[in-house]
């Protein structure tokens, strides 16, 4: 038997007990006549002591213990001389009577401590060592806890977890597919699922009216800091439901997670906001509503006063920064630089400091009286700072939205311990890609239009609203879904609108349209981004910390060095040639 207890278990009531422990040497301190070593496992740390007087031979062996050596010990629990109230096991130590070295360790390339000295690349290369550290162990425990809570919650409500295949054909989430060549059918390829979308819809046709799966999805996208080529979704689908049923069910799940996992204590219904309102008030479709500073349009109020920048703009609007009048010119200049960055790309900021004078950067063009009107329109108080942007509506709102989040960060308004979920609803069904002049499904091609908007499909497709919804938490889209089309004719029409030829639609999604002819029930669903959700619950932004073996920003696994080239033999078998 390796151990009678874990390294996190022993307390003063165990004093006098003979115990066996096994784990890793975190560090050891050699003093004259005595050695203290911290023994660590996933449950905690227990201090070991070796006393030279009692066993000189053991003492010599203990001296040789290096960091991360794996040992097993037998010993007696004794009261600690200098207790450590910050450690759960801090009242005791184990005086070692016998020591077995199970395995030595090279000196690790970074310290296995809460605050390590290793950079992220190095830690990803030695991920198995990084995973020994407390913050990552806590992240894995949190991930497990959330997964179990999801499974229990949904299972109690009659959901079945059903697996769907990974080797499939192209799915419709709008990213590139990862593909897998087939050896048995040379020249043919599987695609890895971007989501189980079509399969979960087929399960509805099969009568499994409440499905979920905690499932891996694969999307070959250009990676941003918070994306992974493979990631996990809580994927769900229900039959005989309308949008309201889906929102209620998954609001319930989300509230349960927030209240049980992080004690968020949320009892009210989640706010709901339409896509159009979200864009107008927050400049973004995933608003962070933990703070105000919403956008106000004042185009008509400020035009025709002789200030060209405003007069020529499609939109003039701004935000009001509470207490912002105290900002220095330098600070305001920095904000101007922020919105002028190419990613945002507006020409500048107009500011006004609210007080008796309402001094602004455009006093030349606007009288004190007119500036007073701005203050009223923007609902500003003395001491506030008004920041205005003039541009096309889309660009100005987007810039104001980003400026708002930037100021929210700078002014500490985005408390990671506060949780503000909401639904964004009434998304447009389609968006146009101006370059190719083609319509794209904003969610995916199986999303149903609002019935009252169906006539617009022919006359004004851009105006059609979808039965689609996003779940947003603290400025992150943590879930999205829709009520689906379940009628073959409407589905064909959608493919048509999206520019699929009949043959293309048939060859890619014929199986689904065929299934719709065999008694498909009305259905809809949602998928929540599991990695992101866990990261937010853990109060962090980086989802990599919550994935045991993540890829880096270039989509590489630095530990196993993937992706890698294939050997000639394997290429031959697959009948593949690489053109360089
Ligand atoms: N398959 C969709 C997605 O991955 C979710 C859904 O519509 O249920 O975003």
């Amino acid at each position: 038997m390796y151990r009678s207890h874990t390294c996190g278990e022993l307390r003063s009531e165990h004093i006098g007990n003979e115990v066996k422990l096994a784990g890793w040497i975190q560090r050891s301190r050699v003093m004259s006549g005595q050695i203290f070593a911290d023994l660590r496992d996933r449950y905690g740390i227990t201090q070991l002591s070796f006393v030279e007087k009692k066993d000189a031979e053991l003492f010599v062996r203990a001296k040789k213990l290096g960091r991360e050596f794996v040992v097993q010990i037998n010993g007696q629990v004794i009261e600690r001389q200098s207790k450590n109230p910050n450690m759960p096991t801090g009242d005791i130590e184990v005086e070692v009577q016998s020591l077995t070295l199970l395995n030595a360790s090279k000196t690790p390339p970074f310290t296995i401590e809460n605050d390590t000295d290793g950079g992220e690349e190095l830690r990803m290369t030695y991920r198995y060592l990084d995973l020994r550290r407390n913050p990552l162990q806590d992240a894995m425990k949190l991930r497990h806890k959330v997964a179990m809570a999801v499974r229990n919650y949904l299972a109690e409500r009659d959901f079945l977890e059903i697996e769907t295949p990974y080797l499939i054909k192209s799915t419709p989430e709008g990213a590139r597919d990862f593909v897998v060549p087939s050896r048995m059918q040379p020249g043919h390829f599987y695609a890895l699922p971007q989501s189980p979308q079509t399969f979960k819809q087929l399960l509805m046709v099969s009568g499994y009216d409440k499905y979920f799966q905690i499932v891996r999805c694969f999307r070959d996208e250009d990676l941003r800091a918070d994306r992974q080529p493979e990631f996990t979704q809580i994927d769900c689908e229900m039959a005989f439901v309308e949008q309201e049923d889906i929102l209620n069910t998954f609001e319930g799940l989300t509230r349960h997670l927030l209240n049980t996992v992080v004690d968020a204590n949320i009892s009210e219904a989640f706010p709901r906001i339409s896509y159009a309102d979200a864009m107008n008030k927050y400049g973004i479709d995933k608003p962070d509503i933990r703070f105000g500073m919403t956008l106000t349009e004042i185009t008509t109020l400020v035009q025709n006063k002789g200030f060209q920048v405003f007069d020529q703009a499609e939109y003039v609007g701004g935000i009001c920064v509470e207490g912002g009048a105290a900002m220095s010119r330098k600070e305001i200049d920095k904000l101007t630089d922020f919105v002028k960055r190419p990613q945002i790309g507006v020409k500048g900021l107009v500011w006004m400091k609210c007080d008796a004078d309402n001094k602004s950067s455009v006093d030349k063009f606007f009288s004190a009286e007119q500036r007073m009107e701005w203050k009223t329109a923007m609902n500003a108080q003395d001491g506030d700072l008004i920041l205005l942007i003039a541009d096309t509506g889309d660009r100005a709102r987007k810039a104001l939205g980003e400026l708002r989040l930037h100021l929210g960060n700078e002014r500490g308004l985005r408390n990671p311990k506060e949780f503000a979920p909401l639904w964004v609803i009434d998304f447009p069904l389609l968006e146009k890609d101006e370059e190719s002049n083609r319509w794209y499904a904003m969610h995916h091609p199986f999303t149903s239009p609002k019935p009252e908007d169906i006539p617009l499909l022919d006359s004004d497709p851009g105006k059609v609203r979808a039965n689609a919804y996003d779940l947003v938490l603290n400025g992150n889209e943590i879930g999205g879904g829709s009520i689906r089309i379940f009628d073959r004719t409407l589905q064909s029409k959608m493919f048509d609108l999206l520019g699929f030829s009949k043959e293309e639609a048939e060859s890619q999604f014929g199986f689904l349209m065929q299934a719709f002819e065999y008694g498909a029930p009305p259905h809809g669903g949602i998928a929540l981004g599991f990695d992101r959700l866990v990261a937010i619950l853990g109060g962090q932004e980086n989802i990599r910390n919550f994935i045991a073996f993540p890829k880096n920003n270039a989509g590489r696994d630095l530990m196993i060095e993937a992706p890698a080239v294939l050997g000639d033999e394997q290429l031959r078998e697959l009948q593949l040639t690489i053109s360089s």
Side-chain angles (χ1 to χ4, degrees):
M1 187 171 78
Y2 284 106
R3 48 189 178 174
S4 60
H5 294 81
T6 71
C7 295
E9 212 176 335
L10 298 171
R11 301 286 184 274
S12 39
E13 68 252 32
H14 297 101
I15 289 170
N17 289 8
E18 301 285 328
V19 296
K20 293 168 186 258
L21 297 178
W24 288 262
I25 299 294
Q26 173 99 356
R27 72 171 84 82
S28 69
R29 298 176 296 286
V30 181
M31 338 259 263
S32 70
Q34 194 160 24
I35 295 170
F36 292 108
D38 285 345
L39 189 68
R40 182 194 73 232
D41 65 13
R42 118 177 198 224
Y43 306 92
I45 288 180
T46 297
Q47 176 164 296
L48 308 179
S49 66
F50 300 85
V51 184
E52 188 169 22
K53 282 210 302 284
K54 293 203 176 159
D55 189 337
E57 187 258 342
L58 178 66
F59 191 80
V60 171
R61 289 174 52 229
K63 252 185 179 171
K64 297 197 187 115
L65 291 177
R67 277 203 281 147
E68 302 306 315
F69 279 37
V70 189
V71 301
Q72 191 276 327
I73 61 100
N74 298 355
Q76 189 176 41
V77 184
I78 60 170
E79 185 174 2
R80 236 206 245 192
Q81 290 302 309
S82 46
K83 300 198 170 44
N84 181 349
N86 298 323
M87 267 174 87
T89 61
D91 286 348
I92 55 97
E93 66 192 29
V94 175
E95 198 177 273
V96 179
Q97 289 149 355
S98 74
L99 164 74
T100 310
L101 177 61
L102 298 173
N103 218 335
S105 169
K106 284 183 170 177
T107 305
F110 49 86
T111 54
I112 315 288
E113 307 268 346
N114 288 3
D115 290 315
T116 174
D117 55 358
E120 194 174 13
E121 295 263 299
L122 186 66
R123 285 188 286 117
M124 282 176 90
T125 309
Y126 295 90
R127 187 67 172 176
Y128 47 88
L129 295 180
D130 203 19
L131 282 165
R132 285 185 191 164
R133 294 193 308 118
N134 273 330
L136 289 212
Q137 300 220 340
D138 289 346
M140 292 308 120
K141 286 177 203 161
L142 178 67
R143 188 178 171 106
H144 168 78
K145 188 172 171 186
V146 178
M148 291 308 287
V150 168
R151 288 202 161 95
N152 289 333
Y153 186 92
L154 293 176
E156 275 164 23
R157 283 157 185 79
D158 281 338
F159 281 80
L160 295 178
E161 183 163 23
I162 302 176
E163 286 159 287
T164 50
Y166 282 160
L167 293 175
I168 64 165
K169 221 160 65 169
S170 188
T171 41
E173 307 288 353
R176 288 194 190 85
D177 291 319
F178 282 104
V179 295
V180 179
S182 158
R183 179 182 59 80
M184 309 242 258
Q185 287 155 69
H188 289 68
F189 295 81
Y190 300 100
L192 299 180
Q194 293 183 35
S195 82
Q197 184 61 37
T198 48
F199 287 94
K200 68 174 172 175
Q201 291 193 240
L202 291 171
L203 285 170
M204 295 305 110
V205 179
S206 307
Y208 298 87
D209 63 351
K210 291 175 174 179
Y211 143 93
F212 85 101
Q213 184 182 190
I214 298 185
V215 63
R216 202 68 56 79
C217 301
F218 306 86
R219 295 184 193 177
D220 187 1
E221 300 184 278
D222 295 330
L223 299 174
R224 288 195 253 113
D226 57 350
R227 289 262 177 96
Q228 285 281 309
E230 53 178 306
F231 60 94
T232 304
Q233 281 188 346
I234 306 168
D235 190 48
C236 309
E237 195 78 3
M238 298 170 84
F240 305 113
V241 287
E242 292 181 343
Q243 175 164 313
E244 196 59 33
D245 303 302
I246 303 269
L247 299 194
N248 286 334
T249 304
F250 294 98
E251 182 164 325
L253 171 65
T254 310
R255 182 183 296 111
H256 174 72
L257 296 177
L258 287 169
N259 289 349
T260 55
V261 180
V262 290
D263 294 325
N265 204 3
I266 292 176
S267 55
E268 320 84 73
F270 294 3
R272 295 180 188 184
I273 181 172
S274 71
Y275 170 83
D277 285 348
M279 297 308 284
N280 286 333
K281 275 181 77 175
Y282 299 96
I284 196 166
D285 62 1
K286 43 179 181 176
D288 185 344
I289 57 168
R290 283 173 296 182
F291 65 106
M293 219 193 284
T294 49
L295 282 53
T296 308
E297 180 177 1
I298 54 169
T299 314
T300 47
L301 185 67
V302 298
Q303 282 186 336
N304 302 319
K305 305 283 189 289
F307 181 46
Q308 290 247 329
V309 175
F310 283 179
D311 289 350
Q312 288 168 359
E314 178 188 62
Y315 171 103
V316 184
I319 54 177
C320 170
V321 189
E322 217 180 290
M327 272 190 217
S328 67
R329 274 304 295 276
K330 217 165 139 202
E331 285 172 296
I332 299 180
D333 287 346
K334 275 210 186 126
L335 298 178
T336 309
D337 292 342
F338 176 81
V339 294
K340 282 165 88 174
R341 289 176 318 152
Q343 303 93 303
I344 303 187
V346 294
K347 296 212 180 61
L349 269 184
V350 167
W351 56 263
M352 178 171 105
K353 291 185 170 185
C354 300
D355 57 17
D357 301 333
N358 292 330
K359 199 176 153 20
S360 83
S361 55
V362 288
D363 282 1
K364 264 205 300 220
F365 302 97
F366 296 91
S367 68
E369 213 167 279
Q370 284 162 349
R371 296 194 319 263
M372 195 64 202
E373 285 174 11
W374 298 8
K375 202 162 142 183
T376 317
M378 304 274 310
N379 217 347
Q381 313 295 321
D382 283 350
D384 294 351
L385 173 73
I386 289 176
L387 296 170
L388 298 175
I389 289 178
D391 210 304
T392 62
D394 286 350
R395 210 173 311 143
R397 276 189 284 260
K398 178 165 181 265
L400 286 168
E402 300 223 12
L403 181 62
R404 174 181 175 271
L405 291 176
H406 176 70
L407 282 160
N409 286 333
E410 280 204 329
R411 301 175 83 77
L413 303 173
R414 307 182 73 189
N415 173 7
K417 297 244 148 54
E418 188 186 334
F419 297 94
L422 76 151
W423 292 104
V424 179
I425 54 175
D426 297 348
F427 277 83
L429 183 69
L430 302 161
E431 61 187 337
K432 195 167 209 165
D433 179 60
E434 295 303 337
E435 237 162 73
S436 60
N437 197 31
R438 265 185 65 172
W439 291 108
Y440 283 90
M442 195 143 172
H443 186 50
H444 53 54
F446 310 122
T447 298
S448 74
K450 290 208 178 287
E452 63 271 29
D453 290 358
I454 289 181
L456 291 170
L457 277 175
D458 296 315
S459 54
D460 195 354
K463 284 246 154 56
V464 179
R465 289 164 310 154
N467 273 325
Y469 31 81
D470 274 357
L471 181 59
V472 175
L473 180 60
N474 295 1
N476 296 279
E477 180 204 319
I478 56 160
S482 60
I483 298 298
R484 325 296 184 190
I485 296 169
F486 66 105
D487 167 79
R488 176 176 185 132
T489 320
L490 185 56
Q491 188 64 67
S492 302
K493 191 181 176 94
M494 265 305 279
F495 283 130
D496 206 29
L497 251 172
L498 296 172
F500 285 75
S501 71
K502 283 243 155 358
E503 294 71 40
E504 280 167 347
E506 193 56 43
S507 82
Q508 266 191 56
F509 302 116
F511 62 95
L512 184 70
M513 290 195 284
Q514 200 175 73
F516 285 174
E517 294 177 315
Y518 288 95
H523 60 285
I526 191 167
L528 309 190
F530 184 61
D531 312 292
R532 172 92 28 90
L533 175 65
V534 178
I536 298 172
L537 294 175
Q540 289 185 36
E541 286 194 347
N542 188 343
I543 64 170
R544 288 195 292 275
N545 290 343
F546 295 85
I547 298 173
F549 297 103
K551 313 261 186 295
N552 76 358
N553 278 346
R556 286 192 70 77
D557 183 320
L558 297 172
M559 181 182 65
I560 61 171
E561 299 193 45
V565 292
L566 288 188
D568 288 341
E569 179 57 36
Q570 216 171 354
L571 286 174
R572 232 186 334 270
E573 240 172 28
L574 296 166
Q575 300 198 26
L576 294 178
T577 44
I578 306 293
S579 66
S580 48

